[in-house]
Amino acid sequence: MNISVIGAGYVGMITGVCFADRGNKVTFIDVDRGKVDKINNLLPPIYEEGLEEMLKRNGGKIDATDDYARLPDSDAIFICVGTPSRKDGSINLDYVKEAVRNIGEHMGDKWSVIVVKSTVLPGTTEGVVIPMLEKITGKKAGIDFGISMNPEFLREGKAIYDFEHPDRIVIGSYDRKSEELLRSLYAPFNAPLLVTTPTTAEMIKYASNSFLATKISFANEIGNLCKKLGIDTYDVMKGVGMDHRISPYFLNSGAGFGGSCFPKDVRALISAGETMGNDMDILRAVMNVNDRQPIRMIELLEKHLGNLERKKVAVLGLAFKAGTDDVRESRSIPVMEKLMEENAKISAYDPLAMENMKKIFGSIEYCQSAEDALRDADGCLIMTDWDEFSRLDFDAMKKAVVIDGRRVVENREGIIYEGICW
Ligand SMILES: NC(=O)c1ccc[n+]([C@@H]2O[C@H](COP(=O)([O-])OP(=O)(O)OC[C@H]3O[C@@H](n4cnc5c(N)ncnc54)[C@H](O)[C@@H]3O)[C@@H](O)[C@H]2O)c1
């Protein structure tokens, strides 16, 4: 098939390259000229395990442009642009609307299905995308062109694996022909398929992310209490997770969840509920627990170091989780903001994410290795579960106070070690 992918970020790149790998011809359209040039030179614009090899392997089937006038006649056009939070927590649909407007203006005569893959609130595909497309094209959705909402559940860091081995594929189809096309496009992935309406598919994505975020905040709340009681919360959650109704996943307590999805999706659902007069009490509590966890890391540091003014603090791990260069809503951001407020001196290190973090904090010290960051430091905060942090040597620190937000440090001898919840 001929596939177009609008937005070559984490979701768009993986979607496009994985479809190309299954024999489809893929055109990426992205407004970021730098990303387009990279793709055309077969260099991935984001880091994701295995992406570079897969891109190179499928170079002949892949093209990229920043010019919608080059939108080819496509069987399917996937919208994968960002849907970030506004300041008040509500969803910002500007990029989706801009993409839809451009698709509408440049869509050819061939029947195509427009697939919304971006995470959008229930009702957006039918209430915003379809009316816009019908108005711009003068055509009828479900007859002259197809519409589907196809939420993405991949995890950054394991995105290719997840795309190729999904637990389920949800197709929220507006019309039969779109459903059939997506069924055959996804057939090689051999996964359970759930067909719903577009609005139900939209809600499945939000409910899934909100539930996973709830599990994490729940584990953190229990973990905070376990620390006070002197109980190992990881042993507790091991016992809890053995119940098949609960499952062992997303029960690791720590510095909280970040990333481009959980915080913004939970906030968007809270905000949508509020607009409809339906308070989302549980989700509000989920966010409150999550916002407090990074501050608890600073409190633990102060317990050992007192006032942090002019103290050197090594912040190890800037990516929101291991395996990615993505720093969006990383828990290291509120931690570093607080350290700056306290006039501490930060030495930061991450194996992949320093370039991205430099766009947020330009003036802190970035180090070439964890060892460099730790040299003469008074304290250390571990913010990301990178494997290399399990075997750190803290000898060069001035005072080896280590606060572990991810339970990765294995060699705890000779240091003052505190886990955030253990
Ligand atoms: N990142 C994830 O793990 C993940 C997982 C599941 C779902 N999602 C959802 O998928 C969507 C995309 O997320 P992402 O992380 O890939 O975002 P991203 O920010 O990495 O990528 C979005 C891309 O869209 C491009 N873009 C913006 N406006 C455009 C336009 N009008 N035309 C063409 N390109 C445009 C940007 O330049 C950028 O490259 C979001 O709705 C997100 O919630 C993300």
Short mmCIF file of all heavy atoms in Angstrom, two decimals, residues 48-78:
data_model
loop_
_atom_site.label_atom_id
_atom_site.label_comp_id
_atom_site.label_asym_id
_atom_site.label_seq_id
_atom_site.Cartn_x
_atom_site.Cartn_y
_atom_site.Cartn_z
N GLU A 48 15.58 5.62 18.92
CA GLU A 48 14.74 4.49 19.32
C GLU A 48 15.50 3.22 18.92
O GLU A 48 16.03 3.13 17.80
CB GLU A 48 13.37 4.58 18.64
CG GLU A 48 12.31 3.66 19.17
CD GLU A 48 12.03 3.78 20.67
OE1 GLU A 48 11.69 4.86 21.17
OE2 GLU A 48 12.16 2.75 21.35
N GLU A 49 15.56 2.28 19.87
CA GLU A 49 16.31 1.04 19.64
C GLU A 49 15.91 0.38 18.31
O GLU A 49 14.73 0.16 18.07
CB GLU A 49 15.98 0.09 20.81
CG GLU A 49 16.90 -1.08 20.96
CD GLU A 49 16.47 -1.90 22.19
OE1 GLU A 49 16.70 -1.43 23.32
OE2 GLU A 49 15.88 -2.97 22.01
N GLY A 50 16.88 0.12 17.46
CA GLY A 50 16.64 -0.61 16.21
C GLY A 50 16.13 0.24 15.06
O GLY A 50 16.00 -0.24 13.92
N LEU A 51 15.84 1.52 15.32
CA LEU A 51 15.22 2.36 14.28
C LEU A 51 16.17 2.62 13.12
O LEU A 51 15.78 2.54 11.95
CB LEU A 51 14.72 3.67 14.91
CG LEU A 51 14.06 4.66 13.96
CD1 LEU A 51 12.85 4.04 13.27
CD2 LEU A 51 13.63 5.93 14.71
N GLU A 52 17.42 2.93 13.44
CA GLU A 52 18.38 3.28 12.37
C GLU A 52 18.54 2.12 11.39
O GLU A 52 18.46 2.31 10.17
CB GLU A 52 19.73 3.68 12.99
CG GLU A 52 20.69 4.18 11.94
CD GLU A 52 21.81 5.03 12.49
OE1 GLU A 52 21.86 5.25 13.71
OE2 GLU A 52 22.66 5.46 11.68
N GLU A 53 18.71 0.92 11.91
CA GLU A 53 18.89 -0.26 11.04
C GLU A 53 17.66 -0.45 10.16
O GLU A 53 17.74 -0.70 8.96
CB GLU A 53 19.09 -1.55 11.86
CG GLU A 53 20.33 -1.59 12.75
CD GLU A 53 20.20 -0.72 14.00
OE1 GLU A 53 19.09 -0.35 14.38
OE2 GLU A 53 21.24 -0.40 14.60
N MET A 54 16.48 -0.32 10.79
CA MET A 54 15.24 -0.57 10.04
C MET A 54 15.03 0.50 8.96
O MET A 54 14.61 0.21 7.85
CB MET A 54 14.06 -0.60 11.00
CG MET A 54 12.85 -1.32 10.43
SD MET A 54 11.46 -1.30 11.56
CE MET A 54 11.37 -2.98 12.04
N LEU A 55 15.39 1.74 9.29
CA LEU A 55 15.27 2.84 8.33
C LEU A 55 16.19 2.57 7.14
O LEU A 55 15.78 2.69 5.97
CB LEU A 55 15.64 4.15 9.04
CG LEU A 55 15.52 5.46 8.28
CD1 LEU A 55 14.10 5.70 7.83
CD2 LEU A 55 15.97 6.63 9.16
N LYS A 56 17.42 2.20 7.43
CA LYS A 56 18.40 1.96 6.36
C LYS A 56 17.98 0.79 5.48
O LYS A 56 18.09 0.83 4.26
CB LYS A 56 19.79 1.71 6.97
CG LYS A 56 20.34 2.98 7.59
CD LYS A 56 21.85 2.93 7.78
CE LYS A 56 22.47 4.31 7.76
NZ LYS A 56 22.38 5.07 8.96
N ARG A 57 17.44 -0.25 6.16
CA ARG A 57 17.03 -1.46 5.43
C ARG A 57 15.90 -1.15 4.44
O ARG A 57 15.74 -1.79 3.43
CB ARG A 57 16.54 -2.46 6.48
CG ARG A 57 16.36 -3.85 6.00
CD ARG A 57 16.33 -4.84 7.13
NE ARG A 57 15.12 -4.80 7.94
CZ ARG A 57 15.11 -4.73 9.27
NH1 ARG A 57 16.23 -4.64 9.95
NH2 ARG A 57 13.98 -4.72 9.93
N ASN A 58 15.09 -0.11 4.76
CA ASN A 58 13.91 0.16 3.95
C ASN A 58 14.02 1.48 3.18
O ASN A 58 13.01 2.01 2.72
CB ASN A 58 12.67 0.18 4.84
CG ASN A 58 12.37 -1.19 5.40
OD1 ASN A 58 11.93 -2.07 4.66
ND2 ASN A 58 12.65 -1.42 6.67
N GLY A 59 15.25 1.97 3.05
CA GLY A 59 15.48 3.28 2.41
C GLY A 59 14.75 3.45 1.09
O GLY A 59 14.18 4.51 0.82
N GLY A 60 14.73 2.40 0.28
CA GLY A 60 14.11 2.50 -1.05
C GLY A 60 12.61 2.70 -1.01
O GLY A 60 11.99 3.10 -2.00
N LYS A 61 12.00 2.42 0.13
CA LYS A 61 10.53 2.53 0.22
C LYS A 61 10.10 3.78 0.99
O LYS A 61 8.92 3.97 1.25
CB LYS A 61 9.97 1.29 0.95
CG LYS A 61 10.00 0.03 0.10
CD LYS A 61 9.58 -1.18 0.91
CE LYS A 61 10.79 -1.95 1.39
NZ LYS A 61 10.49 -2.93 2.42
N ILE A 62 11.10 4.60 1.39
CA ILE A 62 10.79 5.72 2.28
C ILE A 62 11.19 7.05 1.65
O ILE A 62 12.26 7.18 1.05
CB ILE A 62 11.52 5.52 3.63
CG1 ILE A 62 10.83 4.41 4.40
CG2 ILE A 62 11.56 6.81 4.45
CD1 ILE A 62 11.52 3.97 5.67
N ASP A 63 10.30 8.03 1.80
CA ASP A 63 10.56 9.37 1.30
C ASP A 63 10.05 10.34 2.36
O ASP A 63 9.16 10.00 3.13
CB ASP A 63 9.79 9.53 -0.02
CG ASP A 63 10.06 10.87 -0.68
OD1 ASP A 63 11.12 11.45 -0.43
OD2 ASP A 63 9.18 11.33 -1.44
N ALA A 64 10.61 11.55 2.41
CA ALA A 64 10.12 12.54 3.38
C ALA A 64 10.10 13.92 2.75
O ALA A 64 10.93 14.23 1.89
CB ALA A 64 11.01 12.54 4.62
N THR A 65 9.16 14.74 3.18
CA THR A 65 9.04 16.10 2.66
C THR A 65 8.41 17.01 3.71
O THR A 65 7.73 16.53 4.62
CB THR A 65 8.20 16.12 1.36
OG1 THR A 65 8.08 17.47 0.92
CG2 THR A 65 6.80 15.57 1.57
N ASP A 66 8.64 18.33 3.56
CA ASP A 66 7.93 19.27 4.43
C ASP A 66 6.86 20.00 3.62
O ASP A 66 6.28 20.97 4.07
CB ASP A 66 8.90 20.27 5.07
CG ASP A 66 9.67 21.08 4.05
OD1 ASP A 66 9.55 20.79 2.84
OD2 ASP A 66 10.39 22.01 4.47
N ASP A 67 6.62 19.51 2.40
CA ASP A 67 5.72 20.21 1.48
C ASP A 67 4.45 19.37 1.25
O ASP A 67 4.50 18.33 0.60
CB ASP A 67 6.49 20.42 0.16
CG ASP A 67 5.66 21.18 -0.84
OD1 ASP A 67 4.53 21.59 -0.50
OD2 ASP A 67 6.14 21.34 -1.98
N TYR A 68 3.33 19.85 1.80
CA TYR A 68 2.07 19.10 1.64
C TYR A 68 1.65 18.97 0.17
O TYR A 68 0.89 18.09 -0.18
CB TYR A 68 0.95 19.75 2.44
CG TYR A 68 0.91 19.33 3.90
CD1 TYR A 68 1.63 20.02 4.88
CD2 TYR A 68 0.13 18.25 4.30
CE1 TYR A 68 1.57 19.65 6.21
CE2 TYR A 68 0.07 17.86 5.64
CZ TYR A 68 0.79 18.56 6.58
OH TYR A 68 0.74 18.18 7.90
N ALA A 69 2.17 19.87 -0.66
CA ALA A 69 1.83 19.77 -2.09
C ALA A 69 2.36 18.45 -2.65
O ALA A 69 1.89 17.98 -3.69
CB ALA A 69 2.44 20.95 -2.84
N ARG A 70 3.31 17.84 -1.92
CA ARG A 70 3.85 16.55 -2.38
C ARG A 70 3.15 15.37 -1.71
O ARG A 70 3.63 14.23 -1.78
CB ARG A 70 5.36 16.51 -2.12
CG ARG A 70 6.14 17.42 -3.09
CD ARG A 70 7.62 17.15 -3.01
NE ARG A 70 7.95 15.74 -3.10
CZ ARG A 70 8.95 15.16 -2.44
NH1 ARG A 70 9.70 15.87 -1.63
NH2 ARG A 70 9.17 13.87 -2.57
N LEU A 71 2.01 15.64 -1.05
CA LEU A 71 1.23 14.53 -0.44
C LEU A 71 0.81 13.60 -1.57
O LEU A 71 0.08 14.00 -2.48
CB LEU A 71 -0.02 15.08 0.26
CG LEU A 71 -0.93 14.06 0.93
CD1 LEU A 71 -0.28 13.45 2.16
CD2 LEU A 71 -2.26 14.69 1.34
N PRO A 72 1.31 12.36 -1.56
CA PRO A 72 1.00 11.48 -2.69
C PRO A 72 -0.41 10.90 -2.60
O PRO A 72 -1.05 10.99 -1.55
CB PRO A 72 2.05 10.37 -2.55
CG PRO A 72 2.42 10.36 -1.12
CD PRO A 72 2.15 11.71 -0.55
N ASP A 73 -0.88 10.34 -3.70
CA ASP A 73 -2.11 9.56 -3.65
C ASP A 73 -1.85 8.40 -2.70
O ASP A 73 -0.97 7.58 -2.95
CB ASP A 73 -2.44 9.01 -5.04
CG ASP A 73 -3.32 10.00 -5.80
OD1 ASP A 73 -3.80 10.96 -5.17
OD2 ASP A 73 -3.49 9.80 -7.02
N SER A 74 -2.62 8.35 -1.60
CA SER A 74 -2.29 7.36 -0.57
C SER A 74 -3.49 6.48 -0.30
O SER A 74 -4.64 6.91 -0.43
CB SER A 74 -1.92 8.07 0.74
OG SER A 74 -1.04 9.13 0.51
N ASP A 75 -3.22 5.24 0.10
CA ASP A 75 -4.31 4.39 0.58
C ASP A 75 -4.70 4.82 1.99
O ASP A 75 -5.87 4.80 2.34
CB ASP A 75 -3.85 2.92 0.58
CG ASP A 75 -3.52 2.45 -0.82
OD1 ASP A 75 -4.46 2.33 -1.61
OD2 ASP A 75 -2.32 2.26 -1.12
N ALA A 76 -3.69 5.18 2.79
CA ALA A 76 -3.97 5.62 4.16
C ALA A 76 -3.06 6.79 4.52
O ALA A 76 -1.89 6.80 4.15
CB ALA A 76 -3.74 4.47 5.14
N ILE A 77 -3.64 7.78 5.20
CA ILE A 77 -2.87 8.94 5.67
C ILE A 77 -2.97 8.95 7.19
O ILE A 77 -4.07 9.15 7.74
CB ILE A 77 -3.43 10.26 5.09
CG1 ILE A 77 -3.44 10.21 3.56
CG2 ILE A 77 -2.63 11.46 5.60
CD1 ILE A 77 -4.19 11.37 2.88
N PHE A 78 -1.86 8.71 7.86
CA PHE A 78 -1.85 8.64 9.34
C PHE A 78 -1.48 9.99 9.92
O PHE A 78 -0.42 10.54 9.60
CB PHE A 78 -0.84 7.59 9.82
CG PHE A 78 -1.34 6.18 9.70
CD1 PHE A 78 -1.26 5.50 8.49
CD2 PHE A 78 -1.91 5.54 10.79
CE1 PHE A 78 -1.73 4.20 8.38
CE2 PHE A 78 -2.38 4.24 10.69
CZ PHE A 78 -2.30 3.57 9.48
#
